[in-house]
């Protein structure tokens, strides 16, 4: 592990465990604002463990009039009452987890407030999650599209829903931990960080420590 490492990450909604394993390992993380927004990424989607297996929760965004739009300019849509849908999904999935009630009030507050921009919502959630887990990377929004210089590890494309845990072994090793439905579905690696937090609470830090490959 190299705690002085600087990394670049994409913006992500309740990012997977691998994302936070990278944050655990670094001193400074640049969170890209100027990459082109793409669908079917963690920018607006997280995956949790439901009673029926993995469940993807997606934040609807407003369509841009331009062909390509920078992540920083993506606006959250109010379509489909998604905040209510997501909150109900978290309750259904984690109400029986050991630590859900402990974090629920502060966590739910994020869904009571309407954020205009997806990047801002993601960033505030990420900062709160880092505080709860007790990791202290410096999170730095980029001021332009960032080229990875010497000594900076670029993970913007490495953490993606279509990539398996095997693809990420260079910086993250999945470590099994207790999950509510593991007796039904077995351990499901690299779900949203809230799966780890609600199930393991303060011990999430130890899981991230053992998961990091940096």
């Amino acid at each position: 592990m190299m705690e002085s490492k600087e990394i670049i990450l994409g913006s992500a909604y309740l990012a997977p465990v691998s994302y936070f394993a990278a944050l655990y390992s670094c001193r400074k993380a640049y969170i890209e604002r100027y990459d082109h927004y793409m669908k079917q990424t963690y920018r607006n989607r997280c995956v949790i463990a439901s009673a029926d297996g993995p469940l993807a929760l997606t934040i609807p965004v407003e369509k841009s009039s331009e062909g390509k739009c920078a992540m920083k300019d993506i606006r959250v849509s109010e379509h489909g009452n998604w905040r209510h849908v997501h909150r109900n999904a978290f309750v259904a999935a984690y109400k029986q987890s050991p630590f859900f009630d402990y974090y629920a009030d502060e966590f739910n507050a994020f869904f009571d407030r309407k954020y205009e921009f997806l990047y801002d919502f993601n960033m505030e959630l990420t900062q709160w999650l880092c505080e709860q887990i007790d990791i202290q990377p410096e999170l730095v929004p980029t001021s332009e599209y960032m080229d990875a210089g010497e000594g900076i590890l670029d993970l913007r494309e490495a953490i993606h829903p279509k990539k398996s845990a095997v693809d990420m072994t260079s910086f993250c090793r999945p470590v099994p931990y207790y999950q509510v439905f593991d007796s039904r579905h077995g351990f499901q690696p690299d779900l949203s960080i809230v799966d780890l937090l609600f199930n393991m609470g303060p011990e999430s830090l130890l899981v991230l420590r053992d998961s990091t490959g940096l």
Side-chain angles (χ1 to χ4, degrees):
M1 183 178 66
M2 298 173 59
E3 293 184 352
S4 63
K5 188 181 290 292
E6 296 185 1
I7 63 176
I8 313 174
L9 290 166
S11 176
Y13 170 50
L14 299 174
V17 171
S18 56
Y19 189 103
F20 281 83
L23 288 176
Y24 173 92
S25 301
C26 76
R27 178 180 60 84
K28 179 184 290 187
Y30 298 95
I31 311 299
E32 185 60 70
R33 298 175 68 226
Y34 288 84
D35 51 346
H36 290 145
Y37 176 80
M38 291 184 290
K39 297 179 180 179
Q40 298 184 342
T41 67
Y42 288 124
R43 290 173 177 86
N44 69 325
R45 178 169 66 170
C46 70
V47 181
I48 64 173
S50 76
D52 297 321
L55 174 65
L57 300 173
T58 302
I59 299 175
V61 299
E62 294 184 3
K63 293 183 178 180
S64 171
S65 58
E66 302 176 7
K68 294 182 178 180
C69 188
M71 177 62 196
K72 70 180 182 66
D73 296 323
I74 295 296
R75 285 178 164 82
V76 175
S77 170
E78 297 306 312
H79 179 74
N81 199 17
W82 69 269
R83 290 180 178 82
H84 178 74
V85 172
H86 287 208
R87 185 148 49 186
N88 283 353
F90 293 127
V91 171
Y94 297 111
K95 63 184 177 181
Q96 301 300 327
S97 65
F99 295 95
F100 179 76
D101 287 343
Y102 180 82
Y103 298 107
D105 287 347
E106 288 188 25
F107 179 68
N108 286 334
F110 287 97
F111 297 87
D112 293 331
R113 175 183 171 189
K114 292 184 178 180
Y115 289 77
E116 182 177 4
F117 292 100
L118 178 62
Y119 184 94
D120 297 335
F121 182 50
N122 289 349
M123 179 64 94
E124 291 194 20
L125 273 170
T126 300
Q127 290 170 331
W128 179 79
L129 287 159
C130 286
E131 291 172 3
Q132 307 316 304
I133 299 169
D134 196 24
I135 57 176
Q136 296 92 25
E138 180 183 357
L139 302 180
V140 182
T142 59
S143 56
E144 59 183 354
Y145 185 79
M146 188 169 181
D147 292 325
E150 185 176 352
I152 301 178
L153 181 63
D154 187 352
L155 296 176
R156 282 172 289 197
E157 301 302 324
I159 301 172
H160 191 283
K162 294 183 180 179
K163 294 196 174 183
S164 70
V166 174
D167 298 321
M168 296 181 288
T169 52
S170 63
F171 65 92
C172 181
R173 302 181 296 265
V175 173
Y177 56 86
Y178 168 78
Q179 293 176 328
V180 174
F181 303 109
D182 56 9
S183 62
R184 188 179 306 182
H185 301 294
F187 176 71
Q188 301 174 64
D190 212 33
L191 297 176
S192 168
I193 188 64
V194 297
D195 183 82
L196 176 61
L197 183 66
F198 295 154
N199 283 312
M200 299 299 291
E203 292 188 17
S204 299
L205 183 68
L206 303 180
V207 176
L208 293 182
R209 180 198 65 188
D210 295 339
S211 298
T212 182
L214 294 178

